[in-house]
Amino acid sequence: MPIPPYPVIYFIHNTVLPPPLLQTPIIKIMASMILTLFSLPMARWPWTISLVRCRVYVFFFVYVVCHLPLSETIRTAPAPGLNLPEELQGYHTLVPLESLSGERRKFFSWYSTVYRAIGSADGAPYTLRRVENFRLMHQTAFNAIEMWARVRHPNIVRVKEAFTTRSFADNSLIVAYDYHANAKTLYDEHIKPKVPTFQNGRLQAQTTVIPERVLWSYIIQLSGAISVIHDAGLAARMIDATKVLVTGKNRLRISSCGIVDVLMHDARQDVGMLQQEDLVMFGRLLFALCCNNLAAMNTLSKAVETLTRGYSSDIKNVALYLISKPGPHKTISQLIDMIGKNRLMAEMDEVQGSADRLESELTSELENGRLVRLLCKFGFINERPEFPRQPRWSETGDRYIIKLFRDYVFHQVDENGNPVVNLSHVLTCLNKLDCGTEERIMLVSRDEQSCLVVSYKEVKSCIEGAFSDLARPSR
Ligand SMILES: Nc1ncnc2c1ncn2[C@@H]1O[C@H](COP(=O)(O)OP(=O)(O)OP(=O)(O)O)[C@@H](O)[C@H]1O
């Protein structure tokens, strides 16, 4: 079935059905029914459905089915009914990453919304933070964004660019960032009250206590990020549980960098002072995480008490140091010294261990990729209906070996004639084929009239020959 061109899908998506219908379970059921229908032989299709109409429906429902499980990972459909611009200075397919209904918190004095959008230049997803009704007074406000765009750190969400636009029917400021699928804020991950669950037969509120080991990892990651920001002559100005993202297992990234510099451009402030404020904000964040409460610092003595109950004196010292009075010796490097080399080494070991785990996962995916490529070649070569009478593809030609090998791998039967479905046999054969080993196997035709002894190496060269023959533009 040909893949429908994007404009067709887009047209159907936007015109045929009202958007809310796209989300309903009934559509899912209808979609699977139509797909089943399509998979039936043509003779059994209801006569009322013409081939063309059916194809349109199928394209549409395949499209809907593909897009229904919209998750943080896959957001490809433009958000319906929100009147979002279709194109925004090199971005398209805007999808809000937060609810636009209900009470909205202000971002400083402005309302802001975060969208995921696709960059037209590279097709990659980006995050756009839009500040509503913001009038840019001086173009120089974007100088800071240029400095931020040069900052690269694994614990900072990369700033891409900033621009103003009237595409939302107001004066909006847009700052574009890298997009991290499935990102949650620290607030959502640890502080937001969770739905109560049944435990030991009773409905109980869920509390999340962050283990001390994880907290140290957070402290180390954020210290590294802040250190790079301060070294670049900048200040983060937004170290807050709602602005630090968790993008993987305990992996933190400071988001929304640079935006405050643009918003507050006119109130020029000393960078040194702002960097001192970063440290205090970092301390507040630590208290919020340890006490499970964003406003923990409002009653400091209680917050210190809670922290002391749950964590070591080293954590308490770090938190108190961060919220202490600014001073020339209060710096992020001083904090890194306080963390100590043992904890830094432990974090490094953890990072290397996790890199090893990822690499080994990736290696098995590579193996899978090789096997899928081989299977695709098989699919292309076997049972080509257009060559039944050509000698090379006949029962005596070299392509016959491929057919017998396919039977050897997939169509073996036991002594009672029952199919043998043995995945490890298939994988072993395909791996030997991929390596082209010298090991020889006996291939027997289905009528047992012909029998060939060949090596995997020979089968491999037959397959490669047949495939390159097929792939040649003019045979
Ligand atoms: N770079 C990013 N990549 C992926 N998701 C992001 C990115 N930045 C923000 N998000 C997601 O967008 C959502 C909204 O972000 P936002 O900063 O507005 O958080 P918030 O909790 O709604 O804060 P506020 O209450 O201040 O609006 C969050 O769920 C966050 O996970």
Side-chain angles (χ1 to χ4, degrees):
M1 186 170 66
I3 296 164
Y6 183 74
V8 173
I9 297 173
Y10 190 78
F11 171 77
I12 297 169
H13 179 272
N14 283 292
T15 52
V16 179
L17 283 181
L21 207 52
L22 296 178
Q23 309 295 335
T24 61
I26 190 81
I27 287 290
K28 276 189 188 172
I29 297 165
M30 285 168 70
S32 50
M33 278 167 58
I34 295 232
L35 284 171
T36 317
L37 179 73
F38 190 72
S39 63
L40 290 176
M42 269 192 34
R44 293 201 215 145
W45 288 5
W47 306 273
T48 45
I49 301 177
S50 73
L51 177 64
V52 173
R53 264 177 67 201
C54 191
R55 280 200 170 171
V56 169
Y57 288 145
V58 168
F59 289 162
F60 171 66
F61 283 114
V62 167
Y63 174 67
V64 171
V65 167
C66 292
H67 292 87
L68 269 174
L70 288 180
S71 68
E72 286 285 332
T73 321
I74 305 164
R75 290 170 188 267
T76 41
L82 295 174
N83 286 332
L84 297 177
E86 282 184 14
E87 211 284 327
L88 184 67
Q89 303 205 18
Y91 299 91
H92 62 84
T93 319
L94 272 67
V95 183
L97 289 178
E98 55 189 325
S99 161
L100 301 181
S101 55
E103 203 188 327
R104 297 175 70 195
R105 276 203 326 152
K106 279 195 168 175
F107 187 86
F108 290 78
S109 319
W110 295 268
Y111 285 114
S112 90
T113 313
V114 181
Y115 302 91
R116 177 197 190 268
I118 301 296
S120 308
D122 55 8
Y126 289 95
T127 305
L128 305 182
R129 183 178 283 277
R130 168 189 165 213
V131 178
E132 296 171 25
N133 291 309
F134 174 78
R135 195 177 283 276
L136 185 78
M137 303 309 278
H138 305 284
Q139 198 63 24
T140 49
F142 284 158
N143 291 351
I145 294 292
E146 282 169 24
M147 286 172 79
W148 274 106
R150 288 194 288 273
V151 174
R152 294 277 197 284
H153 190 270
N155 300 111
I156 300 172
V157 178
R158 189 178 70 94
V159 180
K160 190 169 175 254
E161 58 173 336
F163 52 88
T164 52
T165 178
R166 293 186 59 83
S167 304
F168 294 88
D170 69 347
N171 292 300
S172 286
L173 165 71
I174 307 284
V175 185
Y177 300 91
D178 276 356
Y179 175 76
H180 294 278
N182 301 320
K184 274 180 166 184
T185 63
L186 266 179
Y187 173 77
D188 286 337
E189 181 77 359
H190 296 296
I191 303 175
K192 190 177 175 178
K194 308 270 182 311
V195 182
T197 54
F198 275 100
Q199 281 164 13
N200 304 327
R202 282 209 321 227
L203 201 58
Q204 287 183 346
Q206 291 182 63
T207 47
T208 51
V209 176
I210 305 174
E212 176 144 346
R213 194 176 42 80
V214 175
L215 204 61
W216 277 117
S217 170
Y218 285 179
I219 294 171
I220 292 169
Q221 293 178 59
L222 293 177
S223 304
I226 295 170
S227 165
V228 164
I229 294 170
H230 289 186
D231 285 350
L234 293 161
R237 306 180 78 173
M238 252 296 169
I239 303 172
D240 180 277
T242 66
K243 296 293 166 283
V244 177
L245 301 182
V246 187
T247 60
K249 183 130 180 58
N250 301 337
R251 180 66 181 281
L252 299 192
R253 290 173 207 263
I254 301 180
S255 80
S256 303
C257 294
I259 202 156
V260 186
D261 294 314
V262 180
L263 298 177
M264 301 289 167
H265 175 70
D266 295 336
R268 287 165 202 280
Q269 280 172 291
D270 174 56
V271 179
M273 282 309 293
L274 296 174
Q275 292 181 346
Q276 291 288 326
E277 279 174 26
D278 278 357
L279 299 182
V280 176
M281 276 194 257
F282 188 5
R284 286 175 174 273
L285 173 64
L286 262 188
F287 273 106
L289 291 174
C290 293
C291 305
N292 235 299
N293 178 2
L294 264 193
M297 282 280 294
N298 290 356
T299 40
L300 184 59
S301 55
K302 207 167 154 229
V304 175
E305 202 185 304
T306 314
L307 192 148
T308 315
R309 242 185 288 123
Y311 296 95
S312 66
S313 56
D314 285 355
I315 293 265
K316 187 176 91 178
N317 292 342
V318 163
L320 289 176
Y321 172 76
L322 283 168
I323 59 162
S324 65
K325 274 211 207 89
H329 300 298
K330 187 182 161 190
T331 61
I332 193 70
S333 352
Q334 185 73 40
L335 181 82
I336 292 171
D337 287 346
M338 280 176 80
I339 294 169
K341 77 169 186 320
N342 287 350
R343 290 198 184 93
L344 291 170
M345 293 303 286
E347 179 72 5
M348 202 168 125
D349 293 346
E350 191 57 47
V351 170
Q352 298 203 61
S354 122
D356 284 347
R357 282 192 294 279
L358 281 178
E359 208 169 299
S360 87
E361 292 276 320
L362 213 60
T363 315
S364 64
E365 289 309 315
L366 268 178
E367 298 280 306
N368 293 342
R370 279 191 308 117
L371 297 185
V372 167
R373 268 194 298 279
L374 256 182
L375 289 173
C376 289
K377 280 188 184 172
F378 260 134
F380 281 125
I381 297 165
N382 275 316
E383 316 288 353
R384 294 292 314 187
E386 60 275 39
F387 307 130
R389 274 179 257 294
Q390 290 192 15
R392 298 200 70 190
W393 296 81
S394 75
E395 308 283 299
T396 50
D398 58 352
R399 308 281 144 95
Y400 187 50
I401 291 178
I402 305 172
K403 194 171 160 188
L404 293 187
F405 183 74
R406 189 268 319 266
D407 286 353
Y408 175 79
V409 178
F410 296 104
H411 295 172
Q412 294 218 359
V413 288
D414 64 16
E415 57 282 7
N416 301 319
N418 296 320
V420 176
V421 183
N422 181 351
L423 194 60
S424 66
H425 166 72
V426 172
L427 294 180
T428 311
C429 292
L430 291 180
N431 277 322
K432 287 179 182 173
L433 176 70
D434 197 38
C435 301
T437 63
E438 297 285 357
E439 184 183 329
R440 297 174 88 75
I441 44 174
M442 190 165 69
L443 304 177
V444 184
S445 68
R446 288 178 186 184
D447 57 8
E448 299 185 349
Q449 293 302 304
S450 46
C451 168
L452 296 168
V453 176
V454 286
S455 67
Y456 281 99
K457 191 174 175 183
E458 283 160 335
V459 181
K460 183 177 179 176
S461 97
C462 283
I463 290 177
E464 272 166 8
F467 183 72
S468 52
D469 195 13
L470 283 179
R472 244 187 307 128
S474 57
R475 284 190 313 277

